[in-house]
Amino acid sequence: MENLIALLVAAPLLGAAVLLCGGRRLDRVGHWLGTLLSAASFVIGLALFTDMLGKGAEERSLHQHLFSWIPVEGFKADVAFQLDQLSMTFVLLISGVGTLIHLYSIGYMEHDERRRRFFGYLNLFLAAMLLLVLADNYLLLYVGWEGVGLASYLLIGFWQHKPSAATAAKKAFLVNRVGDMGLSIAIMLMFTTFGTFAFGPVLEATGETSEGKLTAIGLMLLLAACGKSAQVPLQSWLGDAMEGPTPVSALIHAATMVTAGVYLIVRSGAIFNGAPDAQLAVTVVGAVTLLFGAIVGCAKDDIKKALAGSTMSQIGYMILAAGLGPIGYVFAIMHLVTHGFFKAGLFLGAGSVMHGMNDEVDMRKYGGLRKYMPVTFVTFGLGYLAIIGFPGLSGFFSKDKIIEAAFAKGGTEGWILGSVALLGAAITAYYMTRVMLLTFFGEKRWQPDAQGELPHPHESPKSMTIPMILLAVGSVFAGGFFSIGDRFMHWLEPVTHHDHGDSPLSAATVTGATMVVLVIGVSLAWVQYGRRPVPVVAPRGSLLTRAARRDLLQDDFNHVVLVRGGEHLTRSLVYVDHTLVDGVVNGTAASVGGLSGRLRKLQNGYARSYAVSMFGGAAVLIVATLLMRAV
Amino acid sequence: MNPVNYLYLAALLFTIGATGVLIRRNVIVVFMCIELMLNACNLAFVAFSRLHGNLDGQIIAFFTMVVAAAEVVVGLAIIVSLFRSRHSASVDDASLMKL
Amino acid sequence: MSFPLLTATAALPAVGAIATAAVPAARRTAAKWLALLFSLATLALAITVLIRFDPDGDRYQLTESHAWIADFGVRYELGVDGIAVSLIALTALLLPFIILAGWHDADPLETKSSRWRPTQGFFALILAVEAMVIISFQATDVFLFYIFFEAMLIPMYFLIGGFGDRAHAGSDEKASAQRSYAAVKFLLYNLVGGLIMLAAVIGLYVVAGNFSIQEIAEARANGSLDMATNTERLLFLGFFFAFAVKAPLWPLHTWLPNAMGESTAPVAVLITAVVDKVGTFAMLRFCLQLFPEASKWATPVILVLALISIIYGALLAVGQRDIKRLVAYASISHFGFIVLGIFAMTSQGQSGATLYMVNHGLSTAALMLVAGFLISRRGSRLIADYGGVQKVAPVLAGTFLIGGLATLSLPGLAPFVSEFLVLVGAFARYPVVGIIATLGIVLAALYTLVLYQRTMTGPVKPEVSTMPDLRVRELVVVAPLIALLISLGVYPKPLTDLVNPAVEHTMSDVQKKDPKPEVEAAK
């Protein structure tokens, strides 16, 4: 069976190669080819999954060694795959949701002349993402890590003729590179500490080194995770990334790629378990981002950017859970999976709305769409209920567990983290209700588009609605399915080693509190956006609202300090290079030239002055000879 | 007579020639001064030959005379063509061979 | 006596140069084909060398040795190790692409007969450079190496000064003035370096009595040749200075942007991908092998210079407005990485540095040649003159992007392997240096993506709108380079197998051992 693992990556990779090199001939079938290969990956994943279920819990981990990648003295990097329960979960999520989104894109990108290329990039993304979760060492993971970054770059900037898209793509790649720096330093640290960077040996040997080393590695891994998963302080790229086509936002910037940071931290659990300081840093980053994203999400009028804020916040939950250690790993991954379903569904719903509304993204110009787009409304609504944690739906199970685990951390930290998570739940309920009300309820606030035409909202074609329905099913039932009998926990147990911790609050209390904040959040939003008519032009708003609209001024900070500062630095360096470094060289040349100019004057053309110097020289020589002889 | 006196004479003639080369502008006179220096050298050679009692100095004197004759030929030719083109016999007028 | 394969490899392009130059003026196309043919034949010979070379055999193989100037102990001595073999292969491989890419660069202009370009000369000079570079890689006699190291400057001077870029902002006179400035600067810089090296070469002869590196290194190793500490350091500095100019290392780099900016794109590739490699190669072969103690003594300073090159080159690349100068500064940053890897004195660092030389050759060639195609279409080197090319010429933009991604060392492409090895190698011995160098990867992303964004994306500029996509000849140049970049990125094992034994030899020359990992050391 293990020989199939490479095929998981190879199928979409083949698709990417064929579609990108194939040229125009493939324009007609390209999208089907891409979808087919993505589906092939999913089917192989399913086959491996059923095979895995048939084995005992401890024998489920498969290993495939393909070839030795960089063999250098003392340095061993292999192309080898490892498929355990954690990777399996990701494989199914990535290839499953990926296939659905391929299907959706067939309809969504129908009128784009570069659709073939779009599918090529999507396949490239799938291959890189699968490589990321299947790698058996950190260096190969790094390849996938940057590969998804590249795919994300290409897809965010897919509509390259828009300068905003090109800028957003570049920004995403650059911010991610800062995180990548963390990952490469972490790998180098592992190499000098353990002499290897394969998961097995590193994670087994964590006990043999100092806590300081582990903390350093942990913090570097956290930096990497911050970049990829859009956590504070490297979150600024995610909002701009919404410039990409909506299926991209759904697949890469909601369901899969942005959760790679969570995967990295859970995968490196043994390192973090030995480094409490690093763990604390992880929880703090998670908690801060969870509030940050939620606040930003409340203020955005662009439906995709509101959802992006929400993604940031939900990943904050996952990072928080991952930082809690063995009590949280399982829930981080569980929330990741359920979030994959409902957030992808929500994004596809948003795409469907935009499709029907002439690509309008401002929610203040929507309103009353539930009658016109019933399927979208229902699927979006189910996603909405799932994300706010409505009892019985996916989000309820996974988020509740994270809040519980945060309290179970114990001590003051536990109380603070738990309360932050609760507060986040309230804000989530608020902003998601706001999105729902602005889009589907209230009166029509439709505005004519650039050509002066009022939009004619209509339901999207089947290829778009079917994926939405399937994802909605997932967002309704996944959480319950995972939680009954702690199924998911037992499944992941061999990899993450679950620990219950002791919560100062009973499970029922936490659930009760969650319900209370949920109701508060929803009602607040209803008071603000449900009861009163919504102005088409956003009111100026309070200081906080305005700051939140500008992503809490983080971009402004980046612009002033990094962009401007960098521009000044490079400009002055160019000047220095020209005047100082090159100046010394040119100065030397000029002074040699000047000196020879002076010397040239001696050559005046008068035969008699030459004769004088000749006689003088002869006299000097004679005197010198005589003197030498005398000595 | 003491041969050293010949050497004194040679030194005197050489100095007169050198001074002439340095201070006179007329190219013919400069040329004659050069000849004077050459002959001073010849005189010194012959004197040394006498002093040391061998013929080396005399042989070199012959060589010098041959070279001097050749030099006179080339030198006069240059002077004549210079005079033709510049209508002047001043050394300082021929100062174009410079950068 | 066996067939002198190494001599043949170096002599063939030299013969080609003469043959190409001898083609009558009117038969311009014939000259081009002849040059291409000779470069391909050289490639075939280089591949034969590659096959005949046994990585696990002796240190120097395929050796040839003849007395030459017996009075001074100068011998015609050739021999290759794994590092030299891979660089010879790189040179021989790049040359046909350089010739193909420059196919029309030396055509006479139809409009002005006054600017007639001697086509034959252009290709003959390129082949002459190839011959000299190859023999520099092969020479195991210091004097022989020195001669070709210097002689290389002459054809390069004419290539830079005589065949400038047609895309020039200013007038013809201004262009030719800038071109000669660049050429003279190149020549003087390298001559100064070369003269200092000459002094050191003579000094070495005085101390050692002969020029053969094998003999000298052996004598040094078994203690029969004892150098005073100061003598060794002075000689080392003399050699290193010349190589640092050629490499080029900060602050001796300023000739490179001028030379690359003013010359045509294929010549720029010849400079940075081929000729400059002799500098870094010579650091490995001469500095470390002949003066191991002095190399260790100078390491801290050289590492700092390498770090400055990495960061400074990258920052300056960000600030450039001219595409070719941008690539030149990026190359300075990359040469910083190579020097860092060599002087980190770890197996990973040195293997990485050697791979880096090869990979940098490939990636710069890909990026620069595509940039050259772009420039030849629009007739301008300024980044600001482009925009939206992606829309009109997607294949050109795509290959440009891949070249750029290789330059920023994206995993999966060849440069990543070498860059990561260099970083790991540096980090293992000097963690702070490793971390600072890692900043380079962020900056590399910055200048590459800014370049791509400004030229390729955004609204289509009117001057760009009629730009044709890549032609067949251009695709033939770029596609194999990209294929190599990808395959060496995925499977670099053939190259590392070639290089590893040579690196082990160098490591034993300098008597350094890799630092042990902490966990293993504790056991």
Side-chain angles (χ1 to χ4, degrees):
Chain A
M1 266 331 248
E2 57 263 23
N3 292 336
L4 285 178
I5 301 176
L7 279 184
L8 283 172
V9 182
L13 195 62
L14 175 76
V18 169
L19 290 176
L20 292 177
C21 304
R24 300 244 160 74
R25 275 155 290 169
L26 290 173
D27 271 353
R28 283 152 159 256
V29 292
H31 44 282
W32 286 112
L33 185 70
T35 314
L36 199 72
L37 283 167
S38 161
S41 203
F42 181 61
V43 170
I44 300 168
L46 273 183
L48 285 162
F49 179 60
T50 44
D51 179 64
M52 196 181 260
L53 284 180
K55 293 183 187 164
E58 296 300 329
E59 296 135 31
R60 283 178 174 170
S61 178
L62 293 179
H63 204 269
Q64 182 185 14
H65 184 274
L66 271 191
F67 56 88
S68 170
W69 181 28
I70 312 177
V72 168
E73 179 68 30
F75 184 94
K76 193 168 151 290
D78 292 333
V79 175
F81 299 122
Q82 172 185 335
L83 184 71
D84 58 5
Q85 290 90 331
L86 183 60
S87 312
M88 193 70 238
T89 312
F90 272 90
V91 166
L92 290 179
L93 176 76
I94 295 161
S95 58
V97 175
T99 308
L100 289 180
I101 286 171
H102 271 78
L103 197 64
Y104 177 91
S105 308
I106 294 177
Y108 190 85
M109 299 298 284
E110 197 171 1
H111 305 296
D112 200 301
E113 54 176 356
R114 291 160 71 231
R115 180 163 66 165
R116 168 181 57 85
R117 192 180 286 223
F118 181 80
F119 277 85
Y121 292 161
L122 274 187
N123 271 0
L124 178 67
F125 168 76
L126 276 190
M129 189 73 203
L130 288 168
L131 182 66
L132 196 165
V133 298
L134 285 171
D136 95 321
N137 61 65
Y138 282 96
L139 197 64
L140 193 61
L141 177 144
Y142 188 49
V143 176
W145 191 266
E146 290 246 359
V148 291
L150 169 68
S152 156
Y153 169 79
L154 293 169
L155 285 164
I156 295 172
F158 186 71
W159 287 317
Q160 293 185 325
H161 51 275
K162 285 199 294 186
S164 58
T167 310
K170 183 188 68 185
K171 182 173 172 187
F173 198 95
L174 281 180
V175 176
N176 267 301
R177 267 262 153 157
V178 178
D180 296 347
M181 219 180 109
L183 187 53
S184 46
I185 294 176
I187 298 175
M188 292 191 265
L189 270 169
M190 286 175 203
F191 179 72
T192 53
T193 315
F194 305 108
T196 172
F197 31 74
F199 290 149
V202 167
L203 299 177
E204 273 161 28
T206 47
E208 292 169 38
T209 184
S210 63
E211 194 187 314
K213 271 277 165 66
L214 289 180
T215 310
I217 298 177
L219 288 177
M220 286 299 122
L221 289 175
L222 174 63
L223 179 64
C226 281
K228 198 61 62 186
S229 292
Q231 300 293 294
V232 177
L234 298 179
Q235 87 296 351
S236 64
W237 62 272
L238 187 62
D240 294 341
M242 297 300 130
E243 287 289 340
T246 309
V248 172
S249 313
L251 177 61
I252 300 183
H253 305 119
T256 55
M257 184 190 86
V258 283
T259 58
V262 184
Y263 171 79
L264 183 68
I265 292 177
V266 173
R267 178 56 86 195
S268 316
I271 292 172
F272 284 95
N273 293 345
D277 292 341
Q279 271 188 325
L280 184 66
V282 175
T283 49
V284 169
V285 164
V288 169
T289 315
L290 120 81
L291 288 182
F292 186 103
I295 293 171
V296 170
C298 291
K300 293 283 185 187
D301 290 328
D302 179 325
I303 185 169
K304 285 178 73 182
K305 291 203 170 162
L307 288 177
S310 153
T311 305
M312 226 183 268
S313 162
Q314 298 301 314
I315 297 171
Y317 272 107
M318 299 170 210
I319 296 275
L320 170 63
L324 295 172
I327 42 176
Y329 292 142
V330 172
F331 305 126
I333 300 299
M334 187 159 123
H335 193 54
L336 191 156
V337 176
T338 56
H339 174 258
F341 283 119
F342 58 70
K343 187 51 68 62
L346 286 171
F347 264 110
L348 293 190
S352 172
V353 169
M354 285 160 57
H355 199 68
M357 294 291 286
N358 296 352
D359 288 330
E360 178 61 64
V361 289
D362 190 348
M363 292 188 288
R364 288 182 185 274
K365 297 174 184 163
Y366 291 165
L369 289 174
R370 67 179 183 282
K371 284 182 224 138
Y372 300 90
M373 312 174 98
V375 181
T376 307
F377 169 62
V378 172
T379 53
F380 196 93
L382 288 174
Y384 155 74
L385 290 177
I387 192 175
I388 63 170
F390 193 80
L393 274 71
S394 287
F396 168 77
F397 292 103
S398 51
K399 200 191 289 178
D400 208 43
K401 288 279 202 256
I402 292 180
I403 298 174
E404 219 176 286
F407 280 115
K409 167 107 174 151
T412 335
E413 286 158 48
W415 282 102
I416 295 174
L417 295 174
S419 329
V420 168
L422 262 183
L423 181 60
I427 310 179
T428 308
Y430 171 81
Y431 69 74
M432 282 313 298
T433 312
R434 175 173 173 268
V435 169
M436 197 67 196
L437 290 174
L438 285 178
T439 310
F440 292 103
F441 293 88
E443 74 261 44
K444 302 174 200 169
R445 298 178 301 272
W446 308 346
Q447 303 290 317
D449 64 6
Q451 280 82 43
E453 276 178 53
L454 269 182
H456 303 284
H458 53 86
E459 193 49 83
S460 300
K462 282 250 165 46
S463 68
M464 288 169 71
T465 50
I466 291 173
M468 285 155 62
I469 294 167
L470 288 174
L471 286 170
V473 171
S475 35
V476 172
F477 297 111
F481 178 77
F482 289 158
S483 292
I484 295 165
D486 290 335
R487 247 183 219 151
F488 198 71
M489 196 185 292
H490 293 308
W491 162 250
L492 277 185
E493 178 98 60
V495 185
T496 57
H497 308 293
H498 190 68
D499 172 11
H500 281 283
D502 35 21
S503 173
L505 301 171
S506 70
T509 325
V510 174
T511 312
T514 323
M515 285 306 109
V516 173
V517 298
L518 175 83
V519 172
I520 295 173
V522 172
S523 8
L524 257 178
W526 187 72
V527 170
Q528 245 187 314
Y529 296 97
R531 278 204 328 196
R532 291 181 239 154
V534 182
V536 174
V537 179
R540 195 151 173 271
S542 67
L543 204 62
L544 180 65
T545 318
R546 273 179 283 152
R549 276 192 200 130
R550 308 190 59 141
D551 298 320
L552 295 178
L553 303 181
Q554 220 243 339
D555 267 344
D556 303 72
F557 173 82
N558 284 352
H559 188 76
V560 172
V561 176
L562 297 176
V563 179
R564 287 275 180 74
E567 275 172 8
H568 282 297
L569 178 66
T570 53
R571 222 173 290 157
S572 42
L573 272 182
V574 170
Y575 181 77
V576 165
D577 195 53
H578 191 70
T579 50
L580 213 69
V581 183
D582 214 12
V584 171
V585 176
N586 287 340
T588 316
S591 55
V592 171
L595 187 65
S596 49
R598 302 259 158 71
L599 282 176
R600 198 178 67 181
K601 297 229 167 80
L602 288 178
Q603 211 76 4
N604 54 10
Y606 294 110
R608 292 186 305 139
S609 80
Y610 298 162
V612 169
S613 45
M614 204 171 92
F615 282 122
V620 169
L621 275 180
I622 289 167
V623 171
T625 322
L626 288 177
L627 276 180
M628 291 300 284
R629 198 172 281 176
V631 174
Chain B
M1 203 166 116
N2 189 356
V4 177
N5 289 336
Y6 292 101
L7 290 183
Y8 287 134
L9 178 64
L12 190 67
L13 287 175
F14 188 88
T15 314
I16 293 169
T19 319
V21 167
L22 291 183
I23 61 172
R24 295 304 297 265
R25 285 204 190 114
N26 190 315
V27 74
I28 306 278
V29 177
V30 170
F31 200 65
M32 278 163 33
C33 288
I34 291 173
E35 288 302 312
L36 197 57
M37 285 158 72
L38 283 172
N39 284 320
C41 293
N42 277 349
L43 184 59
F45 276 127
V46 174
F48 279 124
S49 174
R50 175 86 183 156
L51 264 175
H52 295 303
N54 60 20
L55 290 177
D56 292 0
Q58 298 194 20
I59 294 168
I60 292 182
F62 277 116
F63 272 109
T64 314
M65 281 154 74
V66 173
V67 172
E71 182 231 330
V72 167
V73 173
V74 176
L76 276 178
I78 292 175
I79 290 170
V80 169
S81 64
L82 196 72
F83 188 78
R84 276 196 193 141
S85 65
R86 313 224 130 213
H87 304 289
S88 147
S90 167
V91 214
D92 289 0
D93 282 349
S95 64
L96 293 176
M97 283 290 283
K98 64 175 178 186
L99 279 166
Chain C
M1 207 186 109
S2 58
F3 179 70
L5 191 57
L6 292 185
T7 306
T9 318
L12 194 64
V15 173
I18 296 166
T20 310
V23 173
R27 315 275 317 262
R28 198 172 303 116
T29 319
K32 292 175 186 177
W33 282 105
L34 195 66
L36 184 62
L37 207 68
F38 268 100
S39 70
L40 285 173
T42 313
L43 177 59
L45 276 182
I47 291 172
T48 320
V49 172
L50 202 61
I51 294 168
R52 291 269 302 274
F53 182 80
D54 171 21
D56 301 317
D58 292 344
R59 178 166 190 176
Y60 294 105
Q61 297 180 24
L62 305 169
T63 49
E64 295 168 27
S65 181
H66 305 282
W68 184 23
I69 310 175
D71 289 349
F72 295 103
V74 178
R75 297 182 67 79
Y76 177 79
E77 239 179 28
L78 303 181
V80 285
D81 59 357
I83 301 170
V85 165
S86 39
L87 288 172
I88 291 170
L90 170 77
T91 308
L93 178 83
L94 284 180
L95 254 287
F97 296 127
I98 288 174
I99 289 174
L100 258 184
W103 204 247
H104 296 300
D105 280 0
D107 284 355
L109 290 178
E110 287 115 18
T111 46
K112 279 187 220 154
S113 55
S114 62
R115 279 183 66 194
W116 183 77
R117 287 150 183 263
T119 314
Q120 282 83 345
F122 182 72
F123 292 101
L125 287 170
I126 290 180
L127 284 175
V129 173
E130 180 184 20
M132 293 180 190
V133 169
I134 289 181
I135 204 159
S136 307
F137 287 138
Q138 296 171 339
T140 54
D141 184 285
V142 179
F143 195 80
L144 184 66
F145 170 82
Y146 173 76
I147 288 176
F148 288 101
F149 183 77
E150 287 295 283
M152 221 182 285
L153 301 180
I154 301 162
M156 279 317 301
Y157 170 80
F158 287 111
L159 280 174
I160 297 169
F163 302 89
D165 197 344
R166 286 182 199 189
H168 210 286
S171 60
D172 272 4
E173 291 80 47
K174 201 176 151 210
S176 94
Q178 284 188 10
R179 215 161 42 228
S180 357
Y181 172 74
V184 170
K185 197 168 178 178
F186 163 83
L187 189 71
L188 284 183
Y189 246 113
N190 283 285
L191 268 183
V192 170
L195 286 178
I196 292 177
M197 183 182 162
L198 178 63
V201 169
I202 295 168
L204 183 69
Y205 177 71
V206 172
V207 177
N210 69 56
F211 286 112
S212 160
I213 42 172
Q214 271 169 291
E215 276 177 40
I216 298 175
E218 211 168 282
R220 299 225 53 193
N222 63 28
S224 62
L225 172 60
D226 206 22
M227 275 189 209
T229 316
N230 277 334
T231 321
E232 183 182 348
R233 287 178 185 175
L234 278 177
L235 292 179
F236 168 82
L237 287 179
F239 276 85
F240 185 79
F241 185 81
F243 304 149
V245 168
K246 188 138 286 185
L249 196 64
W250 187 89
L252 305 170
H253 64 276
T254 51
W255 63 269
L256 186 70
N258 286 77
M260 278 178 76
E262 296 305 324
S263 51
T264 64
V267 174
V269 173
L270 194 66
I271 297 172
T272 182
V274 177
V275 172
D276 285 356
K277 293 295 173 327
V278 182
T280 45
F281 164 79
M283 285 182 198
L284 259 176
R285 177 169 272 186
F286 296 100
C287 289
L288 293 195
Q289 204 172 331
L290 297 179
F291 317 108
E293 291 308 317
S295 303
K296 281 185 259 182
W297 161 76
T299 298
V301 179
I302 295 173
L303 286 184
V304 170
L305 291 182
L307 268 188
I308 294 178
S309 289
I310 294 172
I311 305 292
Y312 184 89
L315 280 174
L316 272 138
V318 176
Q320 295 305 313
R321 279 173 287 180
D322 175 325
I323 299 176
K324 286 160 101 185
R325 289 180 68 95
L326 190 152
V327 180
Y329 277 106
S331 286
I332 291 169
S333 177
H334 288 145
F335 279 112
F337 273 108
I338 299 177
V339 176
L340 182 66
I342 294 175
F343 281 90
M345 310 262 183
T346 51
S347 312
Q348 300 91 34
Q350 296 194 341
S351 293
T354 312
L355 294 191
Y356 213 124
M357 291 184 218
V358 177
N359 294 339
H360 171 257
L362 297 174
S363 68
T364 313
L367 184 65
M368 193 71 187
L369 292 178
V370 180
F373 300 149
L374 182 72
I375 290 168
S376 68
R377 283 164 164 70
R378 167 77 174 78
S380 164
R381 296 177 352 215
L382 293 182
I383 297 172
D385 285 345
Y386 295 88
V389 174
Q390 198 276 335
K391 193 98 178 158
V392 285
V395 179
L396 193 154
T399 48
F400 192 67
L401 182 63
I402 296 177
L405 292 174
T407 306
L408 66 78
S409 299
L410 189 85
L413 298 173
F416 169 74
V417 175
S418 41
E419 189 161 305
F420 199 81
L421 280 174
V422 167
L423 285 175
V424 164
F427 187 86
R429 209 179 282 283
Y430 312 97
V432 180
V433 173
I435 290 172
I436 298 175
T438 315
L439 270 179
I441 69 171
V442 179
L443 293 172
L446 184 60
Y447 61 70
T448 317
L449 295 184
V450 168
L451 173 65
Y452 183 78
Q453 187 193 352
R454 298 218 177 124
T455 50
M456 299 297 168
T457 68
V460 182
K461 290 224 166 149
E463 299 90 344
V464 169
S465 57
T466 53
M467 193 176 271
D469 213 334
L470 284 191
R471 299 183 181 91
V472 175
R473 170 179 63 88
E474 295 166 335
L475 259 182
V476 168
V477 172
V478 179
L481 287 176
I482 288 176
L484 263 176
L485 279 172
I486 294 175
S487 49
L488 281 180
V490 175
Y491 196 65
K493 194 164 177 292
L495 204 52
T496 52
D497 285 348
L498 202 60
V499 166
N500 283 343
V503 165
E504 268 169 49
H505 282 299
T506 320
M507 288 291 288
S508 69
D509 283 338
V510 293
Q511 290 165 351
K512 280 265 192 181
K513 289 234 162 54
D514 289 332
K516 278 249 181 315
E518 191 190 303
V519 170
E520 209 173 290
K523 273 181 190 165

